Amino acid sequence: MPLVFVTAWHMLVGRCGIKPGDTVLVLGANSGVGTAAIQIAKLFNARVIATAGDEKKMEKARELGADYVINHYQRKISEEVKKITNKAMCDIVFEHVGQATWPESMKSLKPGGQLVTCGATSGTEASFDIRFLFARQLSFLGSYMGTMGEFHDVFKHIFAGKLDPVVDKTFPLRDAAMAHEYLEASSMFGKVVLNP
């Protein structure tokens, strides 16, 4: 909870100043920060568009509160965002995948939109036409963990039952290799826990 929820809170609340009515695109709904971001965005009465890689994960994202879910293996994210928003696009893109999704993340922003990132799972290089950045007055924000005050805010919501950690599966510590294989196959929705 401290890692994914505080990170997602800092990204959406601390860095982007999320507000009711914002449209938020959450990349990788099945990840720990993705599951946290969906819940936090809904807590702020935002409209959530999430991405996931199969029907099972898409359904779980909807159960968490995502209003729309895009299969990122079968659809072009920005084109689907354009359809869903009637060409208005997103106020915030919650990005943590990196190189593989960066171009689609940028294209999914409305003029004046904010892309906030905390990771580079698929690669560290991101290239873009600088004219697109300044002509559309976009903001690219980096984010890392969060503050102690944000930690306390998050845990108030967790203890009140408004935010719930998502644990996909637990493994005994002796099966750590099996747990890594499970993660590498991208089979999870939420966190995988090793028990000693």
Side-chain angles (χ1 to χ4, degrees), residues 51-187:
T51 73
D54 62 42
E55 285 301 321
K56 180 182 164 192
K57 292 175 186 174
M58 292 172 71
E59 184 54 37
K60 288 187 177 192
R62 286 185 197 95
E63 289 170 10
L64 270 183
D67 299 288
Y68 304 92
V69 187
I70 300 166
N71 185 321
H72 53 243
Y73 293 128
Q74 296 178 353
R75 302 274 185 251
K76 195 165 187 173
I77 296 169
S78 63
E79 289 301 316
E80 292 301 306
V81 167
K82 188 181 287 184
K83 290 176 195 171
I84 291 165
T85 64
N86 195 24
K87 299 182 182 176
M89 308 312 275
C90 296
D91 299 284
I92 298 169
V93 173
F94 184 94
E95 168 66 66
H96 57 97
V97 180
Q99 191 169 331
T101 54
W102 191 269
E104 286 300 298
S105 293
M106 280 185 54
K107 291 177 190 174
S108 297
L109 286 168
K110 65 172 46 171
Q114 303 175 88
L115 185 154
V116 61
T117 183
C118 71
T121 308
S122 66
T124 58
E125 298 297 319
S127 63
F128 55 90
D129 185 331
I130 293 171
R131 295 170 299 179
F132 187 77
L133 172 65
F134 69 71
R136 295 176 61 86
Q137 300 187 72
L138 302 177
S139 296
F140 293 168
L141 306 168
S143 187
Y144 188 76
M145 293 298 292
T147 67
M148 188 55 73
E150 289 168 330
F151 175 89
H152 289 292
D153 289 341
V154 164
F155 272 82
K156 285 178 195 169
H157 291 293
I158 289 170
F159 293 142
K162 295 178 182 175
L163 298 173
D164 292 311
V166 178
V167 176
D168 178 85
K169 195 168 183 175
T170 60
F171 290 86
L173 186 56
R174 69 180 174 275
D175 292 337
M178 192 181 313
H180 278 279
E181 289 171 8
Y182 185 75
L183 287 171
E184 289 170 17
S186 191
S187 301

